[in-house]
Amino acid sequence: MVEDGDPADDRGDHRRRVPRSSSGGGERGALILGVYDESNRLVYIGHVGTGFTMAARRALLAQLKALTTTDSPFDQSAPSWRMTAARWVKPQLVGTVEYREFIGVLRHPSWRGLRVEIVPSGVRLPTRDVPFPRA
């Protein structure tokens, strides 16, 4: 779950799915984020690598290790440059992420913590914060 800081505003509600380690297996790196679209497909919405305390990062890493899988949970490919060192997990956790705006991906996301009371399948795409030009 991702939120923009106002619990009454569901604009920022998103689901976090996948860890990526830029350090080749250590605790550093970013979480690759995904939410379900209107067709119930898990889609990429960005990544978050800031906002974690070291203790929270270690605790989350321990939870994610138990959910490890070999296959990407996304129904469509996420940007390949972001996936080169990805370690995939089953999409079973929901996290809160604060962000500035959503323009197809989250801009300036910052991790706020896990939300165990939220069912992952209920987290949906937000509306876009700015007009998005159509090709």
Side-chain angles (χ1 to χ4, degrees):
M1 174 65 117
V2 185
E3 71 188 9
D4 66 353
D6 180 0
D9 179 15
D10 66 351
R11 171 179 71 120
D13 288 350
H14 302 289
R15 187 170 161 184
R16 189 260 334 119
R17 293 287 175 247
V18 188
R20 173 187 175 269
S21 173
S22 59
S23 63
E27 294 177 358
R28 299 179 59 203
L31 294 177
I32 298 169
L33 305 172
V35 297
Y36 289 99
D37 67 10
E38 59 281 347
S39 300
N40 290 323
R41 296 174 301 183
L42 186 63
V43 296
Y44 172 82
I45 59 163
H47 63 281
V48 61
T50 190
F52 300 92
T53 64
M54 289 307 291
R57 188 180 292 271
R58 281 190 291 273
L60 182 57
L61 184 60
Q63 287 181 291
L64 292 172
K65 282 183 180 180
L67 299 173
T68 299
T69 185
T70 56
D71 299 320
S72 167
F74 292 107
D75 289 301
Q76 295 180 340
S77 298
S80 60
W81 59 268
R82 180 56 62 197
M83 305 303 151
T84 57
R87 290 178 286 155
W88 302 113
V89 298
K90 297 171 189 167
Q92 296 177 357
L93 298 176
V94 175
T96 299
V97 175
E98 181 178 333
Y99 63 96
R100 294 285 180 225
E101 64 183 342
F102 178 71
I103 56 169
V105 294
L106 300 178
R107 294 200 58 218
H108 309 291
S110 181
W111 181 254
R112 293 296 177 247
L114 288 175
R115 298 289 301 269
V116 297
E117 76 280 9
I118 298 172
V119 177
S121 61
V123 183
R124 301 293 172 179
L125 280 168
T127 57
R128 292 184 190 268
D129 291 330
V130 297
F132 193 76
R134 296 200 183 269

